[in-house]
Amino acid sequence: MINMVALKKALEGIGFTNVVTYIQSGNVFVDTEEESPAKVGFDIKQEIFKQFGHDVPVIVIGQEDLQACLDRNGFLNEEGVDLKKLYVSFISAELPDNMITQLNLNFIKPDEIQLDGKRIYLKYDISPAKTRLDNKWIEKNMNVMSTTRNWNTVNTLLKMFQDRS
C-alpha cells in the first residue's frame, strides 16, 4: 500500500500541480500541461515504481469519463435499482461493440454488465465480494487492465472534479 501523502509529494516532484488524493483508494487528481492521457499514466506509473517499488496499473480517468457514467449507465434507468450494487470498471482500452456477444456471460450470472467504450457498468446481484465478475475476470476475458469503483466513489470523484473547475 502506498501512503497518499508520499504519493502526492512524489507526483509534485515530477511536475504535476494541484495534486489531490482521495482517501487511501489510489484515486489521484493532478493538473498538467501534458495532453496525452497515456503519457500522464506512464509518468505516474514510472514514478510509483521509482519511488515505492510497486509496478501498478495506472488508468487515467477524466471528468468526461465520470460524467459519461452518469449519462450513459443503463442500469440507472431500471426502476428501484440498488445503487449500492452498481459499480464501474474503467479499462485501459476501448472495447468493440460486439465484445459483449463474444463473452460467456453465463459464467457471471446473475450479475450483469454493460459495455460503454472504456467503461464497463456492473450490477451485482448480491455484492462484489460474492461474484466471479471481478477485475481478474474482466482483465482475462477482455484482455485489458481495469480498475473498479463503486457508484458512490464515481459520484464523489465527479463532484471533486467539478469543485476543482
Side-chain angles (χ1 to χ4, degrees):
M1 192 172 294
I2 297 172
N3 177 286
M4 293 292 104
V5 173
L7 177 60
K8 179 182 188 297
K9 285 185 178 193
L11 296 180
E12 289 170 340
I14 60 169
F16 291 109
T17 58
N18 298 319
V19 179
V20 176
T21 60
Y22 174 61
I23 57 177
Q24 189 67 37
S25 62
N27 295 304
V28 180
F29 291 84
V30 299
D31 287 342
T32 179
E33 298 285 321
E34 179 58 57
E35 293 184 18
S36 166
K39 175 75 167 109
V40 171
F42 177 79
D43 290 347
I44 292 171
K45 180 179 176 65
Q46 190 173 20
E47 189 63 15
I48 289 172
F49 185 76
K50 179 180 164 191
Q51 294 293 325
F52 307 103
H54 298 294
D55 186 15
V56 297
V58 174
I59 297 176
V60 177
I61 302 166
Q63 183 174 354
E64 302 80 23
D65 294 313
L66 293 168
Q67 185 62 52
C69 291
L70 292 178
D71 297 341
R72 296 163 46 173
N73 186 338
F75 294 128
L76 294 175
N77 298 326
E78 295 178 4
E79 191 172 324
V81 67
D82 184 352
L83 298 179
K84 291 179 182 171
K85 294 181 179 179
L86 293 186
Y87 286 71
V88 180
S89 283
F90 297 94
I91 56 177
S92 59
E94 191 161 329
L95 298 172
D97 291 337
N98 68 346
M99 172 63 83
I100 198 83
T101 59
Q102 297 173 20
L103 298 172
N104 179 7
L105 297 182
N106 290 325
F107 181 76
I108 63 168
K109 286 186 179 191
D111 301 324
E112 298 178 57
I113 66 173
Q114 297 172 354
L115 301 181
D116 179 26
K118 291 176 81 172
R119 292 170 294 278
I120 302 171
Y121 307 117
L122 311 165
K123 184 174 86 170
Y124 293 111
D125 184 59
I126 298 174
S127 81
K130 300 192 182 278
T131 185
R132 294 182 210 159
L133 178 57
D134 57 12
N135 276 338
K136 287 181 185 176
W137 187 90
I138 290 169
E139 290 176 347
K140 178 181 177 194
N141 287 279
M142 299 182 185
N143 198 28
V144 293
M145 289 185 308
S146 73
T147 185
T148 302
R149 299 294 182 263
N150 67 45
W151 196 245
N152 183 52
T153 298
V154 170
N155 282 282
T156 299
L157 293 174
L158 179 58
K159 183 174 180 343
M160 289 176 74
F161 258 118
Q162 293 165 341
D163 290 348
R164 289 170 62 91
S165 301

